[in-house]
Amino acid sequence: MYTTHPIRSNNPTNPVEYRMTQLNGWKMTGNPDAFRQGATAFRNARDWAKGEREALIIAANNRVPGDRSLTMESSAEGRLSSSNETD
Protein backbone atom coordinates (compact mmCIF):
# COMPACT_ATOMS: atom_id res chain seq x y z
CA MET A 1 0.00 0.00 0.00
CA TYR A 2 1.36 3.39 -1.01
CA THR A 3 0.69 7.06 -0.33
CA THR A 4 1.40 10.01 -2.61
CA HIS A 5 2.27 13.44 -1.27
CA PRO A 6 3.42 16.80 -2.69
CA ILE A 7 6.89 18.18 -1.99
CA ARG A 8 8.59 21.43 -2.95
CA SER A 9 10.55 21.14 -6.19
CA ASN A 10 13.96 22.62 -6.99
CA ASN A 11 12.68 23.34 -10.52
CA PRO A 12 11.43 26.97 -10.69
CA THR A 13 9.08 26.20 -13.61
CA ASN A 14 7.45 23.34 -11.69
CA PRO A 15 7.19 24.31 -7.99
CA VAL A 16 5.57 21.05 -6.83
CA GLU A 17 6.59 17.43 -7.28
CA TYR A 18 4.87 14.32 -6.00
CA ARG A 19 6.49 11.43 -4.17
CA MET A 20 5.12 7.94 -3.66
CA THR A 21 5.99 6.20 -0.41
CA GLN A 22 5.24 2.61 0.55
CA LEU A 23 3.25 2.37 3.78
CA ASN A 24 3.25 -1.39 4.17
CA GLY A 25 2.77 -4.62 2.26
CA TRP A 26 0.81 -7.81 2.82
CA LYS A 27 1.09 -11.06 0.92
CA MET A 28 -2.56 -11.86 0.30
CA THR A 29 -1.90 -15.56 -0.41
CA GLY A 30 0.49 -16.34 2.46
CA ASN A 31 -1.83 -17.10 5.36
CA PRO A 32 -5.29 -16.11 6.62
CA ASP A 33 -3.97 -13.53 9.12
CA ALA A 34 -1.90 -11.70 6.49
CA PHE A 35 -4.91 -11.68 4.17
CA ARG A 36 -7.14 -10.23 6.90
CA GLN A 37 -4.59 -7.54 7.74
CA GLY A 38 -4.18 -6.55 4.09
CA ALA A 39 -7.91 -6.59 3.36
CA THR A 40 -8.60 -4.54 6.51
CA ALA A 41 -5.93 -1.97 5.60
CA PHE A 42 -7.39 -1.70 2.09
CA ARG A 43 -10.97 -1.25 3.34
CA ASN A 44 -9.90 1.31 5.95
CA ALA A 45 -7.95 3.30 3.34
CA ARG A 46 -10.89 3.14 0.92
CA ASP A 47 -13.35 4.34 3.59
CA TRP A 48 -11.02 7.15 4.68
CA ALA A 49 -10.56 8.28 1.07
CA LYS A 50 -14.33 8.30 0.52
CA GLY A 51 -14.82 10.55 3.54
CA GLU A 52 -12.05 12.91 2.40
CA ARG A 53 -13.49 13.03 -1.14
CA GLU A 54 -16.99 13.79 0.15
CA ALA A 55 -15.66 16.55 2.44
CA LEU A 56 -13.83 18.16 -0.50
CA ILE A 57 -16.96 18.02 -2.67
CA ILE A 58 -19.02 19.66 0.07
CA ALA A 59 -16.38 22.37 0.56
CA ALA A 60 -16.22 23.01 -3.19
CA ASN A 61 -20.01 23.17 -3.48
CA ASN A 62 -20.12 25.70 -0.64
CA ARG A 63 -17.72 27.95 -2.56
CA VAL A 64 -19.77 27.92 -5.79
CA PRO A 65 -22.47 30.60 -5.96
CA GLY A 66 -25.78 30.03 -7.68
CA ASP A 67 -27.73 26.87 -8.45
CA ARG A 68 -27.30 24.30 -5.67
CA SER A 69 -29.37 21.59 -7.42
CA LEU A 70 -26.31 20.34 -9.35
CA THR A 71 -24.67 17.66 -7.21
CA MET A 72 -21.89 15.16 -7.72
CA GLU A 73 -22.53 11.59 -6.65
CA SER A 74 -19.92 8.86 -6.58
CA SER A 75 -20.84 5.32 -7.47
CA ALA A 76 -19.51 2.15 -5.89
CA GLU A 77 -17.22 1.77 -8.91
CA GLY A 78 -15.66 5.18 -8.24
CA ARG A 79 -17.18 6.98 -11.22
CA LEU A 80 -18.60 10.48 -10.75
CA SER A 81 -21.92 11.44 -12.24
CA SER A 82 -23.81 14.70 -12.10
CA SER A 83 -27.52 14.93 -11.52
CA ASN A 84 -29.58 18.08 -11.94
CA GLU A 85 -32.95 17.90 -10.22
CA THR A 86 -35.62 20.30 -11.42
CA ASP A 87 -39.07 20.60 -9.85
Side-chain angles (χ1 to χ4, degrees), residues 46-47 49-51 53-54 57 71-83:
R46 182 191 60 198
D47 294 346
K50 181 181 179 188
R53 181 177 55 248
E54 289 172 354
I57 290 170
T71 61
M72 297 299 285
E73 298 173 356
S74 61
S75 69
E77 294 82 28
R79 292 186 301 259
L80 291 178
S81 61
S82 64
S83 62

Side-chain angles (χ1 to χ4, degrees), residues 30-70:
N31 61 63
D33 288 333
F35 174 82
R36 282 189 211 80
Q37 289 173 358
T40 299
F42 174 78
R43 282 193 302 265
N44 289 342
R46 182 191 60 198
D47 294 346
W48 176 83
K50 181 181 179 188
E52 292 296 305
R53 181 177 55 248
E54 289 172 354
L56 287 170
I57 290 170
I58 290 168
N61 286 341
N62 288 336
R63 294 181 68 178
V64 176
D67 186 9
R68 297 281 188 204
S69 63
L70 183 64

